[in-house]
Amino acid sequence: MRVLVTGGAGFVGSHTCVALLEAGHEVAVVDSLENSSEAAIDGVARATGCRPHFKVADCRDTKKLEQIFKEVQPAVVLHFAGLKSVAESMADPLRYYQHNIGTTAVLLAVMQRCEVFQIVFSSSAAVYGAPHELPVAEEAPAQPTNPYGTTKLLIEQMIRDITFADPRWSAVVLRYFNPVGAHPSGLMGEDPEGMPANLMPYLLQVAVGRRASLPVYGIDYPTHDGTALRDYIHVMDLAEGHLAAMGYLQDAPKGTHTFNLGTGRATSVLELLRAMRHVTGVKLPYEIRGRRPGDVAELWANPEKAERELGWRATRTLEDMCRDGWAWQSQNPAGYSYRRAGYNPAD
């Protein structure tokens, strides 16, 4: 199929482009590059031997987006574009509401005008907040504890309302947990702008010498070692989940269908730290800090619905996640910043 990927130069979006191209789909990417790099598209091209059609544009720009849709004529949209830091959303909630909800509202309106009625939306387990029961299933109450999670939940509701109002629409909402790792080639990976907001990229930057130590936010949680528990999922497992969702849309009943993408296993901050030490052979010093606002103690998935209905499950281990993340960071100590220095590793 012809697929338009919004935010396709970002971490999960770029790895999903690899999976799409390897499966034989035609891929076009639109990305504002606000928190990503065109170098990720170079990585996709080097990993697959095929470069996606790429356009730089903000998805809130209706005119540009309409031009892209007319040029690409996609059959389905994979929607990743958006801001994703919990801590940043707590500090600047208005930016998150304007960006995440505004982007999706314009995208859905353009899709409707261009008669493209299939979408896979990149949502988040942050919509669950602090769950009453673990592992958390799709039927659990959605009670986000931060503006980032709230924007994801509001977007989910927008999509449900549209698919309910117009039977031509069908959508899959993927609530994924904590994407980590990288493409096993080391050609592409996660490269956040500035200070990393997530554990794995921060840990990798400590391992490669870019940071002095890892801040551990809270060691007094009611967990077995006092640190927060999360469901870490390899980004390539996640990418394959999007392929499964696209296939599901072709025969699914109309409406919105929601799935968790996770491993169903909980890993603490200190357990991930030890796994990374084992893979890298680096000491990885850390320092204890207070809890961050908006964080919850424990969150991991019940992924049974995705396995049952999508035919998908995560297969890669925590060691795979650490090894592939290290392959990326050790080969690219400065991440994608070589583009700013005018250096192309393909030369």
Side-chain angles (χ1 to χ4, degrees):
M1 287 188 295
R2 225 173 249 176
V3 185
L4 179 65
V5 183
T6 72
F11 176 44
V12 180
S14 60
H15 285 77
T16 301
C17 287
V18 170
L20 289 167
L21 289 166
E22 289 179 342
H25 297 290
E26 295 180 49
V27 178
V29 170
V30 56
D31 198 299
S32 68
L33 301 182
E34 182 175 347
N35 192 29
S36 58
S37 171
E38 189 176 349
I41 303 300
D42 297 339
V44 172
R46 294 169 66 205
T48 64
C50 182
R51 186 178 181 85
H53 182 75
F54 179 61
K55 292 288 187 180
V56 178
D58 190 317
C59 287
R60 291 171 292 181
D61 186 329
T62 301
K63 192 170 183 179
K64 276 191 179 179
L65 199 58
E66 284 184 340
Q67 289 172 348
I68 291 167
F69 267 80
K70 288 174 183 174
E71 183 178 338
V72 173
Q73 297 184 349
V76 61
V77 173
L78 303 191
H79 180 33
F80 297 95
L83 303 175
K84 63 174 187 175
S85 168
V86 169
E88 187 181 63
S89 79
M90 296 290 287
D92 192 358
L94 185 57
R95 179 171 178 243
Y96 271 66
Y97 285 108
Q98 289 174 327
H99 194 293
N100 290 1
I101 295 173
T103 292
T104 309
V106 172
L107 173 66
L108 293 171
V110 171
M111 287 178 67
Q112 186 155 285
R113 281 196 291 276
C114 295
E115 297 188 343
V116 179
F117 297 110
Q118 291 190 342
I119 185 169
V120 178
F121 171 56
S122 164
S123 190
S124 168
V127 302
Y128 293 118
H132 301 299
E133 185 177 328
L134 288 165
V136 65
E138 291 84 354
E139 298 77 21
Q143 300 172 323
T145 58
N146 53 72
Y148 163 68
T150 301
T151 64
K152 291 292 189 180
L153 184 60
L154 289 171
I155 291 167
E156 287 188 14
Q157 188 61 53
M158 289 168 59
I159 292 171
R160 275 193 292 272
D161 289 343
I162 289 169
T163 60
F164 179 79
D166 186 340
R168 293 176 296 177
W169 281 87
S170 56
V172 170
V173 168
L174 297 177
R175 292 174 175 171
Y176 38 87
F177 282 65
N178 292 69
V180 296
H183 192 269
S185 66
L187 293 171
M188 45 194 297
E190 186 170 12
D191 185 33
E193 293 281 342
M195 190 73 71
N198 297 324
L199 175 59
M200 177 72 95
Y202 206 117
L203 198 50
L204 288 168
Q205 290 187 14
V206 173
V208 84
R210 285 174 61 183
R211 310 279 173 193
S213 64
L214 174 76
V216 175
Y217 294 103
I219 200 165
D220 58 348
Y221 284 108
T223 62
H224 65 276
D225 64 10
T227 63
L229 293 174
R230 294 293 184 269
D231 187 336
Y232 296 99
I233 177 172
H234 197 293
V235 67
M236 291 309 299
D237 276 330
L238 202 52
E240 290 163 7
H242 288 78
L243 284 181
M246 276 178 47
Y248 178 84
L249 273 180
Q250 306 318 303
D251 300 312
K254 298 301 180 183
T256 299
H257 310 274
T258 303
F259 299 94
N260 287 338
L261 294 188
T263 66
R265 298 184 299 273
T267 301
S268 75
V269 173
L270 293 181
E271 286 170 337
L272 182 59
L273 175 72
R274 286 193 291 270
M276 189 64 76
R277 280 176 173 168
H278 174 73
V279 164
T280 64
V282 179
K283 184 179 178 182
L284 300 176
Y286 66 93
E287 54 183 283
I288 306 300
R289 298 187 184 176
R291 299 184 189 184
R292 291 185 300 188
D295 281 350
V296 299
E298 305 173 281
L299 187 62
W300 70 91
N302 180 339
E304 292 175 359
K305 183 181 177 186
E307 184 169 359
R308 185 175 63 249
E309 298 187 24
L310 298 183
W312 170 93
R313 67 182 180 90
T315 61
R316 295 164 178 87
T317 66
L318 188 65
E319 184 173 350
D320 294 331
M321 301 173 207
C322 293
R323 185 191 63 245
D324 292 343
W326 181 234
W328 150 253
Q329 197 71 77
S330 59
Q331 292 178 48
N332 303 272
Y336 290 128
S337 63
Y338 66 78
R339 286 191 68 86
R340 290 187 287 276
Y343 166 66
N344 188 338
D347 292 340

